[in-house]
Short mmCIF file of all heavy atoms in Angstrom, two decimals:
data_model
loop_
_atom_site.label_atom_id
_atom_site.label_comp_id
_atom_site.label_asym_id
_atom_site.label_seq_id
_atom_site.Cartn_x
_atom_site.Cartn_y
_atom_site.Cartn_z
N GLY A 27 -38.76 -189.08 107.61
CA GLY A 27 -38.02 -190.33 107.49
C GLY A 27 -36.53 -190.17 107.26
O GLY A 27 -35.85 -191.12 106.87
N PHE A 28 -35.98 -188.99 107.52
CA PHE A 28 -34.55 -188.78 107.37
C PHE A 28 -33.81 -189.47 108.51
O PHE A 28 -34.33 -189.61 109.61
CB PHE A 28 -34.21 -187.29 107.38
CG PHE A 28 -34.57 -186.56 106.12
CD1 PHE A 28 -35.27 -187.16 105.08
CD2 PHE A 28 -34.22 -185.23 105.98
CE1 PHE A 28 -35.59 -186.46 103.93
CE2 PHE A 28 -34.54 -184.52 104.83
CZ PHE A 28 -35.22 -185.14 103.81
N GLU A 29 -32.56 -189.87 108.23
CA GLU A 29 -31.74 -190.45 109.29
C GLU A 29 -30.88 -189.37 109.92
O GLU A 29 -30.42 -188.45 109.23
CB GLU A 29 -30.88 -191.59 108.76
CG GLU A 29 -29.83 -191.17 107.75
CD GLU A 29 -29.05 -192.36 107.22
OE1 GLU A 29 -29.27 -193.49 107.64
OE2 GLU A 29 -28.18 -192.13 106.35
N LEU A 30 -30.68 -189.48 111.21
CA LEU A 30 -29.80 -188.56 111.93
C LEU A 30 -28.37 -189.03 111.70
O LEU A 30 -28.03 -190.17 112.00
CB LEU A 30 -30.13 -188.55 113.43
CG LEU A 30 -29.24 -187.66 114.29
CD1 LEU A 30 -29.40 -186.19 113.90
CD2 LEU A 30 -29.57 -187.87 115.76
N ARG A 31 -27.54 -188.16 111.17
CA ARG A 31 -26.16 -188.52 110.86
C ARG A 31 -25.16 -187.91 111.83
O ARG A 31 -24.06 -188.43 112.00
CB ARG A 31 -25.84 -188.08 109.43
CG ARG A 31 -26.73 -188.80 108.43
CD ARG A 31 -26.35 -188.51 107.02
NE ARG A 31 -27.22 -189.28 106.15
CZ ARG A 31 -27.62 -188.88 104.98
NH1 ARG A 31 -27.21 -187.72 104.51
NH2 ARG A 31 -28.41 -189.64 104.25
N ASN A 32 -25.52 -186.81 112.43
CA ASN A 32 -24.62 -186.17 113.38
C ASN A 32 -25.44 -185.25 114.28
O ASN A 32 -26.38 -184.61 113.81
CB ASN A 32 -23.53 -185.38 112.65
CG ASN A 32 -22.26 -185.25 113.45
OD1 ASN A 32 -22.16 -185.74 114.57
ND2 ASN A 32 -21.26 -184.58 112.88
N ASP A 33 -25.08 -185.18 115.53
CA ASP A 33 -25.74 -184.33 116.51
C ASP A 33 -24.63 -183.70 117.33
O ASP A 33 -24.01 -184.36 118.16
CB ASP A 33 -26.68 -185.18 117.37
CG ASP A 33 -27.52 -184.36 118.34
OD1 ASP A 33 -27.18 -183.19 118.61
OD2 ASP A 33 -28.52 -184.91 118.82
N VAL A 34 -24.36 -182.44 117.07
CA VAL A 34 -23.23 -181.75 117.70
C VAL A 34 -23.76 -180.62 118.57
O VAL A 34 -24.53 -179.77 118.11
CB VAL A 34 -22.27 -181.18 116.64
CG1 VAL A 34 -21.14 -180.41 117.30
CG2 VAL A 34 -21.72 -182.29 115.76
N GLY A 35 -23.34 -180.64 119.81
CA GLY A 35 -23.72 -179.58 120.73
C GLY A 35 -22.52 -178.76 121.15
O GLY A 35 -21.41 -179.27 121.26
N TYR A 36 -22.76 -177.48 121.36
CA TYR A 36 -21.73 -176.59 121.88
C TYR A 36 -22.43 -175.53 122.71
O TYR A 36 -23.30 -174.81 122.21
CB TYR A 36 -20.94 -175.94 120.74
CG TYR A 36 -19.93 -174.94 121.22
CD1 TYR A 36 -18.76 -175.34 121.86
CD2 TYR A 36 -20.15 -173.57 121.07
CE1 TYR A 36 -17.83 -174.42 122.31
CE2 TYR A 36 -19.23 -172.63 121.52
CZ TYR A 36 -18.08 -173.07 122.14
OH TYR A 36 -17.17 -172.15 122.61
N GLU A 37 -22.09 -175.47 123.98
CA GLU A 37 -22.76 -174.60 124.94
C GLU A 37 -24.26 -174.89 124.87
O GLU A 37 -24.66 -176.02 125.05
CB GLU A 37 -22.38 -173.14 124.69
CG GLU A 37 -20.90 -172.89 124.96
CD GLU A 37 -20.43 -171.48 124.75
OE1 GLU A 37 -21.23 -170.62 124.31
OE2 GLU A 37 -19.26 -171.22 125.04
N ASN A 38 -25.10 -173.91 124.58
CA ASN A 38 -26.54 -174.17 124.54
C ASN A 38 -27.06 -174.29 123.10
O ASN A 38 -28.24 -174.08 122.85
CB ASN A 38 -27.31 -173.08 125.29
CG ASN A 38 -27.11 -171.72 124.65
OD1 ASN A 38 -26.20 -171.52 123.86
ND2 ASN A 38 -27.97 -170.77 125.00
N MET A 39 -26.19 -174.66 122.16
CA MET A 39 -26.57 -174.76 120.75
C MET A 39 -26.41 -176.20 120.25
O MET A 39 -25.64 -176.97 120.82
CB MET A 39 -25.70 -173.84 119.90
CG MET A 39 -25.84 -172.37 120.26
SD MET A 39 -24.69 -171.33 119.36
CE MET A 39 -23.16 -171.66 120.22
N ARG A 40 -27.16 -176.53 119.17
CA ARG A 40 -27.08 -177.86 118.57
C ARG A 40 -27.15 -177.77 117.06
O ARG A 40 -27.95 -177.01 116.52
CB ARG A 40 -28.25 -178.72 119.04
CG ARG A 40 -27.87 -179.72 120.09
CD ARG A 40 -29.09 -180.37 120.64
NE ARG A 40 -29.33 -181.68 120.05
CZ ARG A 40 -30.42 -182.36 120.28
NH1 ARG A 40 -31.38 -181.89 121.05
NH2 ARG A 40 -30.57 -183.55 119.75
N TRP A 41 -26.31 -178.56 116.41
CA TRP A 41 -26.33 -178.72 114.97
C TRP A 41 -26.72 -180.16 114.68
O TRP A 41 -26.09 -181.10 115.17
CB TRP A 41 -24.95 -178.45 114.37
CG TRP A 41 -24.55 -177.02 114.39
CD1 TRP A 41 -24.60 -176.14 113.34
CD2 TRP A 41 -24.01 -176.26 115.49
NE1 TRP A 41 -24.14 -174.90 113.72
CE2 TRP A 41 -23.78 -174.95 115.05
CE3 TRP A 41 -23.73 -176.58 116.83
CZ2 TRP A 41 -23.27 -173.96 115.87
CZ3 TRP A 41 -23.23 -175.59 117.66
CH2 TRP A 41 -23.00 -174.30 117.17
N LEU A 42 -27.77 -180.35 113.89
CA LEU A 42 -28.28 -181.68 113.56
C LEU A 42 -28.10 -181.92 112.07
O LEU A 42 -28.62 -181.17 111.25
CB LEU A 42 -29.77 -181.77 113.92
CG LEU A 42 -30.11 -181.49 115.37
CD1 LEU A 42 -31.59 -181.19 115.53
CD2 LEU A 42 -29.70 -182.66 116.24
N THR A 43 -27.38 -182.97 111.72
CA THR A 43 -27.20 -183.33 110.32
C THR A 43 -28.09 -184.52 110.02
O THR A 43 -27.98 -185.56 110.68
CB THR A 43 -25.72 -183.68 110.03
OG1 THR A 43 -24.90 -182.56 110.41
CG2 THR A 43 -25.51 -183.99 108.57
N LEU A 44 -28.98 -184.35 109.05
CA LEU A 44 -29.92 -185.40 108.67
C LEU A 44 -29.94 -185.54 107.16
O LEU A 44 -29.56 -184.62 106.44
CB LEU A 44 -31.34 -185.05 109.15
CG LEU A 44 -31.53 -184.94 110.65
CD1 LEU A 44 -31.71 -183.50 111.03
CD2 LEU A 44 -32.71 -185.76 111.07
N GLY A 45 -30.43 -186.68 106.70
CA GLY A 45 -30.56 -186.85 105.26
C GLY A 45 -31.36 -188.09 104.92
O GLY A 45 -31.61 -188.95 105.78
N PRO A 46 -31.75 -188.19 103.65
CA PRO A 46 -32.49 -189.37 103.20
C PRO A 46 -31.62 -190.62 103.30
O PRO A 46 -30.44 -190.58 102.96
CB PRO A 46 -32.83 -189.06 101.74
CG PRO A 46 -32.46 -187.64 101.51
CD PRO A 46 -31.53 -187.23 102.58
N THR A 47 -32.21 -191.71 103.76
CA THR A 47 -31.44 -192.94 103.95
C THR A 47 -30.85 -193.46 102.64
O THR A 47 -29.80 -194.08 102.65
CB THR A 47 -32.29 -194.05 104.59
OG1 THR A 47 -33.44 -194.27 103.78
CG2 THR A 47 -32.72 -193.65 105.99
N ASN A 48 -31.51 -193.18 101.52
CA ASN A 48 -31.02 -193.67 100.23
C ASN A 48 -30.05 -192.69 99.55
O ASN A 48 -29.63 -192.93 98.42
CB ASN A 48 -32.18 -193.98 99.29
CG ASN A 48 -32.99 -192.74 98.94
OD1 ASN A 48 -32.97 -191.74 99.67
ND2 ASN A 48 -33.71 -192.79 97.84
N GLN A 49 -29.69 -191.60 100.23
CA GLN A 49 -28.76 -190.63 99.68
C GLN A 49 -27.73 -190.24 100.75
O GLN A 49 -27.76 -189.13 101.28
CB GLN A 49 -29.49 -189.38 99.18
CG GLN A 49 -30.39 -189.62 98.00
CD GLN A 49 -31.10 -188.34 97.59
OE1 GLN A 49 -31.55 -187.57 98.41
NE2 GLN A 49 -31.18 -188.14 96.29
N PRO A 50 -26.80 -191.12 101.04
CA PRO A 50 -25.85 -190.82 102.12
C PRO A 50 -24.93 -189.64 101.82
O PRO A 50 -24.33 -189.08 102.73
CB PRO A 50 -25.06 -192.13 102.25
CG PRO A 50 -25.23 -192.82 100.95
CD PRO A 50 -26.58 -192.42 100.43
N GLU A 51 -24.84 -189.23 100.57
CA GLU A 51 -23.95 -188.13 100.20
C GLU A 51 -24.65 -186.77 100.28
O GLU A 51 -24.02 -185.74 100.06
CB GLU A 51 -23.39 -188.36 98.80
CG GLU A 51 -24.39 -188.23 97.67
CD GLU A 51 -25.37 -189.40 97.50
OE1 GLU A 51 -25.20 -190.44 98.15
OE2 GLU A 51 -26.32 -189.25 96.72
N THR A 52 -25.95 -186.74 100.60
CA THR A 52 -26.69 -185.48 100.63
C THR A 52 -27.28 -185.28 102.02
O THR A 52 -27.96 -186.16 102.54
CB THR A 52 -27.83 -185.50 99.59
OG1 THR A 52 -27.27 -185.76 98.31
CG2 THR A 52 -28.56 -184.17 99.55
#
Side-chain angles (χ1 to χ4, degrees):
F28 286 5
E29 65 182 358
L30 178 64
R31 298 186 178 147
N32 207 0
D33 186 342
V34 177
Y36 176 73
E37 295 180 356
N38 62 343
M39 298 174 284
R40 256 171 100 188
W41 288 259
L42 302 163
T43 304
L44 297 108
T47 57
N48 64 338
Q49 294 179 319
E51 70 285 351
T52 304

